[in-house]
Amino acid sequence: MPVEDGVEQERPVLVLDFGGQYAHLITRRVRELRVLSELVAHDVTVDELRARNPRGLILSGGPASVHEAGAPALDPALLSLGIPVLGICYGMQAMALALGGDVGRTGAAEFGKAPLTVEPGALLFRDLPADQTCWMSHNDSVTRVPEGLGETGRSGSGAIAAMESVERGLYAVQFHPEVVHTPHGQDVLRNFLLHGCGADGTWTPAHVVAEQVRRIREQVGAERVICGLSGGVDSAVAAMLVHRAVGDQLTCIFVDHGLLREGEAEQVVELFGSHFAVPLVHVQAQERFIALLAGVTEPEQKRKIIGETFIRVFEEESRKLDGARFLVQGTLYSDVIESGSRTAAKIKSHHNVGGLPEDMELELCEPLRLLFKDEVRRVGEELGMPERMVWRQPFPGPGLAIRIIGDVTHERLSILRHADAVLQDEIRKAGWYNRVWQSFAVLPCVKSVGVMGDARTYAYPIVIRAVTSDDAMTADWARLPHDLLASISTRIINEVPGVNRVALDISSKPPGTIEWE
Ligand code: XMP
């Protein structure tokens, strides 16, 4: 096992969230520059901040006016800790007020693209052109720069657009450097991080692996750990990280519910059991699931049966591995942000996994808690996991059962699995696999008449569903080329017995959803 001890803990740049719609985006942009960044509440205390030992602070934008009653205030003490600070939009105004400057409703509200003239000698604008465009979204403006800071930019409407004091480590911009509509925005952030904070972009996937390995060892010690594998990328990467850290103290449990895509179960077993030699319990529960699903057509009922049975099987298997104290979960940073800050590390596992025995107290080990999905994928690559697994499209927990629109049978599973494999093959060959969010086959359980080799057929249709999306909350149907659709259709009808028609789903979300059930 490689020795990764002695890795320095990464010092983050903390983004104080004043409620702006771009606050998360700031952390993403900073991370793209290979500096760890995390979101914290705007009213974080000085002691809490000091404990995190941040490299720098960024004050986010926010919807309020600094003059409104109850507007989130900035503790002036945060500006004199010797930690470099960048204020953005509301953050700039809050900084100006806290330091004795003025903020007024000037009538020069700006929304959208705006011209910007900057002082090229300023640290934030080093090596950048004096005349730029930027993205503005504000009513109020700083009307007097606080003493000790210099004005370093004006917008087209004449509003003060930037100010700084290198000596005091204080910087601010009225515009939004984090949005793509500010062409030099990322350069401004880079200047702040590199020249303002001395951050040199060391937060690489290799660093993340080394640091997490150190943390996992610290947390787990010599105890035993279990991890449920789903076939998806998050649980797989989490398991690999834990295995890298504590080796055979980890046992993975893979519950095969028989609702996976072609070759999926084999890939998990090959990768974990053979290639990485991780202790793996492969539970063959296919028949149990199919028996319980027999005759069930109602989507929610299907989901409930699958979810509950999954937990029951996991429970039974983990009971056999007595002595485990930790449960690995692939919780992501987006989950952490969405559920607010959660400090309690020790929880009853059934809160998270749903249905584990009341008296079973497992501590959680969540090595991906700081990472967004694309960062998890890069960590997976760093760990030597194959591209095919790491860059796999999302797949729902209830699997193919919710893509068979009707009751689930062996025959229908086999048809859908086969059609889906053909579709994926064509999509990959045409270079579309990574251009869409998801692409898959759906089997509606109706039959239609066709003709094949001069004979009548009466068989199922397959529906092609391919969508583009950023986050699965909304989606559009992918405009796949007609030639590609033609080859998918021809191959499915020719190669998959029991199918005589192929249709294309051209619904967006909303009003449709990505899955059919
Ligand atoms: P919908 O169909 O709601 O799906 O538009 C949004 C995204 O979530 C995936 N999905 C699931 N993922 N368990 C999961 O892990 C589930 O039960 C589940 N249902 C839907 C879906 O594939 C899409 O990416």
Side-chain angles (χ1 to χ4, degrees):
M1 198 187 307
V3 178
E4 272 110 348
D5 289 326
V7 174
E8 271 183 44
Q9 186 164 338
E10 187 75 10
R11 293 175 62 200
V13 166
L14 297 178
V15 177
L16 274 62
D17 184 0
F18 284 90
Q21 53 178 324
Y22 304 124
H24 303 152
L25 197 53
I26 301 171
T27 63
R28 306 265 310 143
R29 293 285 175 259
V30 173
R31 286 161 173 237
E32 281 166 19
L33 294 164
R34 300 194 153 184
V35 176
L36 173 61
S37 179
E38 291 173 58
L39 204 61
V40 294
H42 75 274
D43 55 359
V44 59
T45 65
V46 166
D47 286 345
E48 283 167 337
L49 268 192
R50 281 220 179 91
R52 302 295 308 275
N53 191 22
R55 264 181 201 285
L57 305 178
I58 298 182
L59 316 175
S60 84
S65 161
V66 284
H67 297 302
E68 262 169 39
L74 169 67
D75 178 357
L78 300 186
L79 301 177
S80 50
L81 296 174
I83 304 169
V85 183
L86 169 65
I88 294 177
C89 194
Y90 183 91
M92 168 164 167
Q93 297 163 14
M95 179 190 283
L97 269 196
L99 296 172
D102 290 330
V103 176
R105 188 145 287 195
T106 58
E110 291 170 297
F111 295 95
K113 254 190 182 154
L116 170 74
T117 305
V118 301
E119 176 55 58
L123 179 141
L124 282 189
F125 304 116
R126 202 178 276 187
D127 300 325
L128 301 181
D131 292 313
Q132 311 180 8
T133 53
C134 64
W135 186 263
M136 292 278 195
S137 180
H138 66 115
N139 282 304
D140 296 350
S141 294
V142 172
T143 48
R144 190 171 58 82
V145 169
E147 215 160 292
L149 272 73
E151 178 189 321
T152 54
R154 286 249 168 186
S155 75
S157 71
I160 297 173
M163 59 183 194
E164 69 179 44
S165 162
V166 176
E167 215 167 77
R168 294 166 68 181
L170 300 178
Y171 310 86
V173 289
Q174 181 57 61
F175 59 89
H176 288 274
E178 70 277 22
V179 304
V180 289
H181 312 290
T182 299
H184 288 292
Q186 195 68 339
D187 299 321
V188 169
L189 288 177
R190 183 184 291 107
N191 280 338
F192 171 66
L193 296 171
L194 195 70
H195 305 302
C197 304
D200 42 6
T202 50
W203 193 67
T204 58
H207 186 101
V208 173
V209 170
E211 187 173 346
Q212 285 309 319
V213 162
R214 182 181 58 75
R215 281 178 185 227
I216 294 164
R217 283 182 188 156
E218 237 173 62
Q219 184 192 5
V220 165
E223 302 284 346
R224 292 199 56 75
V225 191
I226 53 171
C227 175
L229 292 177
S230 67
V233 64
D234 302 337
S235 61
V237 173
M240 284 312 304
L241 266 176
V242 174
H243 188 251
R244 173 76 69 99
V246 298
D248 292 356
Q249 283 165 246
L250 169 74
T251 302
C252 287
I253 301 175
F254 172 47
V255 179
D256 185 346
H257 54 21
L259 308 167
L260 296 170
R261 290 167 290 185
E262 192 168 273
E264 210 160 18
E266 291 79 1
Q267 267 183 45
V268 172
V269 173
E270 208 289 313
L271 186 67
F272 284 87
S274 306
H275 186 72
F276 288 116
V278 178
L280 176 71
V281 179
H282 179 191
V283 191
Q284 309 267 7
Q286 295 93 324
E287 292 310 322
R288 181 163 167 183
F289 277 85
I290 303 226
L292 287 167
L293 287 170
V296 179
T297 54
E298 210 283 310
E300 280 312 301
Q301 211 187 337
K302 277 187 195 171
R303 282 174 174 273
K304 238 178 127 191
I305 291 170
I306 296 164
E308 268 181 33
T309 312
F310 191 89
I311 293 303
R312 294 282 95 83
V313 177
F314 187 77
E315 235 172 68
E316 289 160 19
E317 293 302 321
S318 53
R319 246 182 252 131
K320 292 181 198 162
L321 300 165
D322 42 58
R325 178 164 160 213
F326 292 92
L327 175 68
V328 179
Q329 294 254 289
T331 314
L332 301 186
Y333 194 48
S334 42
D335 307 331
V336 175
I337 291 175
E338 270 163 25
S339 53
S341 74
R342 191 156 53 88
T343 43
K346 186 163 186 165
I347 58 154
K348 286 197 173 188
S349 308
H350 71 269
H351 290 166
N352 258 277
V353 199
L356 287 174
E358 286 290 329
D359 57 354
M360 179 169 142
E361 233 183 40
L362 285 167
E363 267 177 74
L364 289 187
C365 174
E366 300 177 308
L368 310 180
R369 263 182 87 82
L370 278 185
L371 305 180
F372 289 106
K373 188 98 171 178
D374 53 327
E375 294 163 350
V376 168
R377 292 193 151 125
R378 290 201 176 87
V379 165
E381 287 178 330
E382 179 64 33
L383 289 165
M385 297 172 70
E387 187 251 334
R388 221 182 154 81
M389 168 153 266
V390 168
W391 290 95
R392 161 177 297 178
Q393 293 174 358
F395 185 64
L400 298 180
I402 57 164
R403 293 179 179 170
I404 292 174
I405 315 309
D407 56 321
V408 177
T409 64
H410 281 293
E411 185 214 11
R412 289 170 179 174
L413 273 172
S414 157
I415 290 174
L416 181 58
R417 196 174 279 127
H418 192 166
D420 190 70
V422 171
L423 183 149
Q424 299 306 353
D425 186 45
E426 286 296 315
I427 293 262
R428 277 184 195 275
K429 280 200 305 210
W432 274 82
Y433 188 81
N434 293 326
R435 292 174 66 181
V436 293
W437 176 266
Q438 269 171 296
S439 48
F440 55 88
V442 178
L443 173 60
C445 295
V446 291
K447 286 189 175 178
S448 73
V449 175
V451 54
M452 243 175 163
D454 299 328
R456 178 185 191 270
T457 59
Y458 188 56
Y460 290 118
I462 283 291
V463 175
I464 300 171
R465 179 74 165 142
V467 295
T468 53
S469 176
D470 286 329
D471 51 14
M473 302 297 288
T474 59
D476 195 9
W477 58 281
R479 292 349 186 226
L480 299 179
H482 285 176
D483 287 350
L484 172 58
L485 292 170
S487 52
I488 293 172
S489 167
T490 307
R491 277 195 59 197
I492 288 179
I493 292 170
N494 286 346
E495 295 176 27
V496 185
V499 176
N500 64 355
R501 234 172 248 279
V502 171
L504 177 67
D505 181 349
I506 52 170
S507 339
S508 57
K509 171 184 179 177
T513 53
I514 295 177
E515 304 290 346
W516 271 40
E517 289 191 338

